[in-house]
Amino acid sequence: MDIFIMYLKVFLTGGIICSIGQILIDKTKLTPARILVIFVTLGTILTAIGIYGPIVEFGGAGATVPISGFGYCLANGVIKEVDAIGFLGIFIGGVKATAAGIASAVVFGFLASLIAKPSIK
Amino acid sequence: MNSNVNMSNQEYSDFVDSKAKKSNLGKNIFMAFLVGGIICSIGQVISDIAMHYGVQKQDATCITTIVLIFLGAFLTAINLYAKIGKVAGAGSIVPITGFSNSIVSPAIEFKTEGYILGLGANMFKVAGPVLVYGITTSVIVGFVYWIIKLFM
Amino acid sequence: MKLGKQSIKFENTPKLLNTSSIVGPKEMQGPLAMYFEAHTDDIFFGEKSFEKAESKLMKTCINNLLSKVPTDNSNIDYIFAGDLLNQCISSGYCIRDLNIPFFGLYGACSTFCESLMLASLFVDAGYATKTVAATSSHFCSAERQFRMPLEHGNQMSSTAQCTVTGSGAAIVVPKDISIQSPYITCITPGKIVDMGITDIANMGAAMAPAAFNTIATHLTDTSRRADYYDAIITGDLGTLGSEVLVDLFKKEGVDISSNHYDCGAMIYDIEKQDVKCGGSGCGCMASVFSSYFFEQLKTKKMNKVLIVATGALMSPLACQQGETIPSIAHAVAIENEV
């Protein structure tokens, strides 16, 4: 039963975050690229001021899988690194925490595009 | 006959808006909610499996990200992600798989202009701004945090 | 002879001798499939890139056209052609191999009428005896240049239109050629009209005022009524743009709802093919006029038509700089009797 409730929370949190994106697209005619930028920036800021953390506690992957979770990683990473090594941490922390995501995106992106051919949806 | 449209630009814009068929917001939100929820649940499953095998929570998050990015890239490469996106909208744009899709899609398309200037240069055409603004914001956050720490 | 403000009435009424059309797979699933002369099931058309495919579409179309009239390349005096791609590469690379003097034109989706106007002007003035007008567009090359990558998982806006994969070509000759064929009687080159629309996913609305302006000017200049024509055919206003155009005329007390046709709204099955407001692109009017409407003229089901190709003269760059969408429409009157 616990696991069911946990997955329900994940589903709800992820679903709601994506729905907010959809409302923005349909109501404001923002392009997907802008939506992604808004979400990642908001994710970073909300984490820094302590709002996104509790959402991640509640929703787990529902809050970390959306691109705002990328911002959550960036903010947490930079705060942790500043705590650990001080000033230099400002420049190291964010990218260090998200390095796996960035590197895998570049590599898988590269490999995928090598094998794929464009086609109509 | 008067050949100019007898309306101000604002009036014309309102007139067009009144004629335009609205997209079905309810259905779009429902689909975004459903697909977004499913993708996040898949992420949770991956993370739970990793932790089940004794991986630390922090590393499990990393593994989840890598696997989801792989899935996004793979589905894009087999021409499936665009089909999902047509139905799901933000439901497949906002999750990290959408980030992966926005990197792979221009890369595939610009391959015809060569591997360096085509594929390489255009890979971050759509997703580049996410890194620019995400990383910049994180540096600002780090800087502010560092200053606050100095005085506390 | 100049008529009124901006129209020209041809004194020697050149003939539209023949036309040719070619489309891609999606257009062949639409309601006009039986009228198109040629088609390809492969969006790459056997080429390595979409731009090359588009070029080949136009080339195939022109070659088909020339094979239908008893002539060869060396007898064509001039060719007027254009497309949507930067530097008009589809036309340029297509005509590179044809060995015909070439005028490259850009009028966005209005190019078909622009090239047909110039082709008939040359013939009317006696500077040429055989001229060809051709345009093309390709869904994938246009998406790439104007919108998002094909594989990107985004949704089309409800007002968006889908670029037609296709090409159309027409050959214009002097009227003394004995083969029976419709005449080009009158043209009205359009002015640029901009009503401040900025949404590039709503081209129909941006172009409707330009179509209105050109048609209204044409009717005034020629002292004709809208019902003089069996059909007033707009290029690619789509369903929304067409509705707006009919309404704009209604406001002036003219009802064109019964004889107005829009190629963009006709080429696809709007409901079944999920194309939102219909088709667009240089290839839209070119392929639909060259097939369906030319057939109607030939079989005398229609005798007087006014074709009005509409174009949105923006670029992604200008739009990103915050510019609005300037639009243009050119009208060509084609009649079976002079």
Side-chain angles (χ1 to χ4, degrees), chain B residues 12-68:
Chain B
Y12 182 68
S13 173
D14 294 342
F15 167 66
V16 168
D17 281 344
S18 72
K19 289 251 144 205
K21 214 167 86 187
K22 298 286 173 292
S23 51
N24 190 340
L25 191 60
K27 182 179 155 246
N28 284 353
I29 292 177
F30 175 74
M31 290 314 292
F33 183 83
L34 188 69
V35 176
I38 291 172
I39 295 175
C40 292
S41 305
I42 295 171
Q44 190 69 42
V45 171
I46 298 166
S47 164
D48 283 356
I49 292 174
M51 293 215 283
H52 179 75
Y53 285 101
V55 177
Q56 290 287 310
K57 191 166 184 207
Q58 190 100 40
D59 291 348
T61 312
C62 258
I63 292 174
T64 311
T65 307
I66 294 172
V67 173
L68 285 177

Side-chain angles (χ1 to χ4, degrees), chain C residues 33-49:
Chain C
M34 56 183 288
Y35 296 98
F36 298 121
E37 186 183 322
H39 73 277
T40 167
D41 293 327
D42 170 20
I43 48 161
F44 276 98
F45 208 2
E47 295 289 330
K48 282 212 172 79
S49 74

Side-chain angles (χ1 to χ4, degrees), chain C residues 64-92:
Chain C
N64 285 346
L65 174 69
L66 296 186
S67 70
K68 282 199 283 190
V69 289
T71 181
D72 59 52
N73 290 5
S74 60
N75 282 334
I76 303 296
D77 293 305
Y78 301 103
I79 185 159
F80 300 82
D83 55 85
L84 294 176
L85 301 183
N86 291 340
Q87 287 79 39
C88 289
I89 49 172
S90 306
S91 325

Side-chain angles (χ1 to χ4, degrees), chain B residues 12 19 21 79 101 109 113, chain C residues 144 150-151 153 158 205 247:
Chain B
Y12 182 68
K19 289 251 144 205
K21 214 167 86 187
N79 305 328
N101 169 250
E109 198 150 287
E113 280 75 51
Chain C
R144 209 158 117 86
L150 288 174
E151 306 299 329
S158 59
D247 270 27

Side-chain angles (χ1 to χ4, degrees), chain A residues 6-7 10-11 15 18-19 22-23 26-27 36 61 65 67 74 78 83 87 90 101 106 109-110 113-114 116 119, chain B residues 25 28-29 33 36-38 40 44-45 48 69 77 79 89-90 93-94 96 111 115 119 123 134 138-139 145-146 149:
Chain A
M6 188 193 72
Y7 272 90
V10 170
F11 191 89
C18 293
S19 307
Q22 187 67 41
I23 293 169
D26 281 359
K27 283 285 173 197
L36 291 180
V65 168
I67 198 76
L74 283 167
V78 80
D83 278 339
F87 185 78
I90 297 171
V106 170
F110 181 64
S113 54
L114 285 186
S119 82
Chain B
L25 191 60
N28 284 353
I29 292 177
F33 183 83
I38 291 172
C40 292
Q44 190 69 42
V45 171
D48 283 356
I69 285 178
N79 305 328
I93 289 173
V94 173
I96 195 87
K111 208 166 56 168
Y115 287 99
L119 191 160
M123 204 169 193
S138 86
V139 168
Y145 180 66
W146 182 73
K149 265 187 81 175

Side-chain angles (χ1 to χ4, degrees), chain B residues 110-124:
Chain B
F110 284 88
K111 208 166 56 168
T112 43
E113 280 75 51
Y115 287 99
I116 309 291
L117 291 177
L119 191 160
N122 288 290
M123 204 169 193
F124 285 92

Side-chain angles (χ1 to χ4, degrees), chain C residues 173-305:
Chain C
V173 297
K175 72 168 168 197
D176 47 17
I177 299 247
S178 58
I179 303 165
Q180 211 200 8
S181 216
Y183 300 94
I184 297 169
T185 54
C186 188
I187 59 170
T188 307
K191 287 189 291 201
I192 293 181
V193 177
D194 189 337
M195 293 294 287
I197 298 285
T198 51
D199 183 5
I200 52 166
N202 196 355
M203 296 294 196
M207 298 189 298
F212 172 77
N213 181 290
T214 301
I215 298 171
T217 308
H218 175 85
L219 296 178
T220 312
D221 285 353
T222 55
S223 332
R224 286 170 181 171
R225 286 157 49 93
D227 54 14
Y228 173 86
Y229 291 104
D230 298 325
I232 294 176
I233 306 155
T234 48
D236 54 357
L237 294 180
T239 47
L240 175 61
S242 303
E243 226 179 285
V244 171
L245 179 69
V246 170
D247 270 27
L248 290 176
F249 271 102
K250 208 170 271 166
K251 286 199 168 125
E252 297 292 322
V254 179
D255 181 20
I256 60 161
S257 58
S258 58
N259 62 345
H260 171 252
Y261 297 80
D262 184 73
C263 301
M266 291 166 73
I267 190 164
Y268 297 120
D269 189 322
I270 305 275
E271 295 297 319
K272 282 194 196 126
Q273 291 187 281
D274 190 30
V275 287
K276 308 299 175 191
C277 279
S280 67
C282 289
C284 183
M285 162 156 270
S287 59
V288 174
F289 171 75
S290 303
S291 54
Y292 177 75
F293 286 109
F294 192 67
E295 174 82 20
Q296 304 298 309
L297 282 165
K298 277 287 213 185
T299 54
K300 310 244 156 128
K301 282 181 190 143
M302 288 178 184
N303 289 314
K304 299 176 196 133
V305 304

